[in-house]
Amino acid sequence: DIIQWVNKKLEESGKSSRIKSFQDPNIADARPVIDLIDAIKPGTINYELVHPHGSPDVKKLNFYL
């Protein structure tokens, strides 16, 4: 139910990120979580600070936003 709610919220807000499970590798760069926060409260995330997909070290940087 939670996965469906997350994906519905992301879709409704025009975000492209989606997750399939809590172990989904797409969560590794925090992008789905960042997008979900912005979907719940638009304007909360400064996307200029969000790092694009990349190496494991770059992916970790998004968790510190």
Side-chain angles (χ1 to χ4, degrees):
D1 290 340
I2 294 171
I3 303 283
Q4 290 174 344
W5 178 83
V6 167
N7 288 329
K8 181 180 178 190
K9 198 74 169 157
L10 290 169
E11 184 178 346
E12 288 174 350
S13 65
K15 308 294 184 192
S16 62
S17 55
R18 302 286 184 274
I19 61 172
K20 295 178 183 169
S21 71
F22 290 113
Q23 292 81 28
D24 191 323
N26 290 326
I27 299 172
D29 67 356
R31 191 60 180 244
V33 176
I34 291 168
D35 286 344
L36 180 60
I37 292 167
D38 195 64
I40 293 169
K41 187 165 181 177
T44 302
I45 301 296
N46 179 351
Y47 278 94
E48 291 180 13
L49 301 175
V50 177
H51 298 279
H53 303 289
S55 70
D57 290 334
V58 171
K59 289 178 179 181
K60 289 178 189 175
L61 294 174
N62 287 338
F63 282 102
Y64 298 106
L65 291 176

